[in-house]
């Protein structure tokens, strides 16, 4: 049984970019430039894959809480310094009522205030309670006071320790 002979294949190539015709031309399979291109194709593909895998990935959206600037105290609506709308910011001096998203729902905080500040809770029957938050203090699970937090002040405002 005789084996069929194979005809040399012809490859299609583009003309140089400056050629206005932009038609494809045929090159013979034995053309040396074709052999060189074929020899370089596999290493070039491997190099491209290696470079693509070594490129640093684009980082995802940050899940780390924003850094609290000096002189400020941040309160979050969820544990772990997270929550919809981000942090609510307080900077002494004075009293500030908490925004609705963290009022009676402040489950974490981080203080970089230079002085102690006081979380304030107004009781339904009158009077108030405070909780001291010292400089550089933080709590990722402030469940004890999360549902009491009404606002924050740089003084005790005449409230009882709570």
């Amino acid at each position: 049984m005789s084996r069929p002979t194979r005809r040399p294949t012809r490859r299609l190539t583009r003309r140089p970019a400056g050629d206005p015709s932009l038609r494809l031309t045929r090159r013979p399979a034995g053309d040396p430039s074709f052999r060189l291109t074929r020899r370089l194709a596999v290493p070039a593909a491997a190099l491209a894959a290696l470079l693509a895998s070594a490129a640093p990935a684009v980082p995802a959206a940050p899940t780390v809480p924003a850094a609290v600037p000096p002189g400020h105290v941040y309160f979050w609506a969820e544990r772990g310094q997270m929550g919809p709308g981000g942090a609510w910011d307080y900077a002494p001096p004075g009293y500030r009522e908490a925004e609705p998203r963290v009022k009676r729902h402040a489950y974490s905080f981080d203080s970089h205030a230079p002085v102690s500040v006081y979380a304030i809770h107004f009781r339904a029957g009158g009077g108030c309670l405070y909780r001291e938050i010292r400089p550089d203090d933080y709590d990722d699970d402030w469940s004890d006071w999360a549902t009491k937090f009404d606002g924050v002040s740089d003084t005790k405002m005449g409230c009882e320790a709570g």
Side-chain angles (χ1 to χ4, degrees), residues 2-154:
S2 70
R3 219 170 150 194
T5 57
R6 294 183 77 187
R7 277 195 324 210
T9 57
R10 302 180 131 218
R11 305 283 181 212
L12 295 176
T13 58
R14 285 201 178 271
R15 290 187 184 202
D19 188 354
S21 68
L22 293 177
R23 286 181 292 163
L24 295 176
T25 60
R26 293 193 180 271
R27 267 190 197 170
D31 185 352
S33 66
F34 174 71
R35 274 187 259 128
L36 181 60
T37 304
R38 197 163 119 193
R39 282 187 198 146
L40 293 177
V42 171
L47 180 62
L50 179 64
L51 290 176
S53 67
V58 177
T63 58
V64 177
V68 179
H72 293 257
V73 183
Y74 279 8
F75 294 88
W76 287 270
E78 295 178 7
R79 291 169 183 85
Q81 299 181 9
M82 300 173 74
W88 176 70
D89 181 19
Y90 169 78
Y95 172 79
R96 273 189 60 206
E97 192 78 15
E99 286 184 356
R101 64 191 161 93
V102 293
K103 187 172 185 172
R104 303 220 173 166
H105 198 83
Y107 280 90
S108 55
F109 72 87
D110 190 0
S111 173
H112 287 259
V115 296
S116 286
V117 297
Y118 303 90
I120 304 294
H121 167 64
F122 296 104
R123 293 190 269 191
C128 59
L129 301 174
Y130 75 85
R131 163 122 196 290
E132 183 178 9
I133 299 173
R134 294 180 180 91
D136 296 319
D137 195 7
Y138 72 94
D139 196 333
D140 283 337
D141 187 1
W142 200 35
S143 296
D144 301 349
W145 258 73
T147 58
K148 296 178 185 176
F149 183 69
D150 289 317
V152 64
S153 177
D154 61 338

